[in-house]
Amino acid sequence: MSGRVTRKRARMAEAEEAAQQEPGQVQDQADEAGGLRRDEHFWFEDGSIILHARDVAFKVYAKPLIDHSPVFKDMLSLPQPDDGVSFQSAGRNIPVVSLADAPEDLRHVFEVIMPTKTLRPFGFESTSYHTISAWIRLGHKYQIHHLVERSLAHLRRFPRLHAIGVVNLARITEAYDLIPTALMSCCMLDAGIAIGFPREDGSMERLCAADIELCFKAKENLIEARVQLLHHIADSVLGSCCEDQVQTFVDEMARGRKLCIPQPFWINLASFKKNRPGLCKSCTEELSKSCKEERRKVFDRLPALVGITVDGWGQPKAATIN
């Protein structure tokens, strides 16, 4: 017999791990007494399966789960033991599967794959970080690949959503092109970088020790890059009629400790030009051109500044990491 583990066998192993069957019989009228409470939004009277997460029971349809998730497909194809949990409803036994996921996360996933009573002709009005996080984490776990890819695309458009969480989601899905900018944002958190932030279920989202170490090392590099960027911009008008005004701006930033920020792209050139109406047109154009060029140079080496290597960084093609 071949020792090769096929993709389906691997999914079956995941399914058996995710489906933790408990002995006993769950009665329709006893779910509250037994410590379970029905979910208010995802309890369909004609549902074909009950998913039990912590103290919440979801009565949903098996077919959408099977259609979208190979893991659920394999999980629900497993033979149920004779003493497995079932739910007596309308004269038929409905299988109950226990999941280790947070109910809050499952609700976000069910919102996109289960029928709802709410019409959404224009899609979701807004998408929170917690929604995106649940889609990616559970989408990855249950191999709902389209949901993961759409969610990662959203993070690429809005990368400042909870930087700590973005780093962790990128690690899980190997979407390493998200990490440089997210780590840079983490460097702005000060003490918050070690504390993290709470998820919807009350658990804490934190960086791993290795990523916290990267941030401590990256902070100095990012501050240095900011100082160099500002001086390179100022050098673009050396010898011009506006040299003194630009140098005064650099000195003001240094005195106000605005240089010591680990964010090299936050150079408010628009405010500088607005507060100095005497700046000539030629120098204004040169400063804008130089600022754009220098920012591009810093962006191109951002992975190195935060201590990682991302293949294909800055290119349209999806990136990988070494």
Side-chain angles (χ1 to χ4, degrees), residues 52 66 74 154 258 301:
H52 168 211
I66 292 171
D74 291 340
H154 181 87
K258 294 179 180 179
R301 61 191 184 97

Side-chain angles (χ1 to χ4, degrees), residues 98-117:
S98 181
L99 302 176
D101 308 301
E104 294 82 0
D105 289 343
L106 286 169
R107 288 189 192 101
H108 289 305
V109 174
F110 292 158
E111 282 180 349
V112 294
I113 66 175
M114 291 291 167
T116 67
K117 299 177 182 179

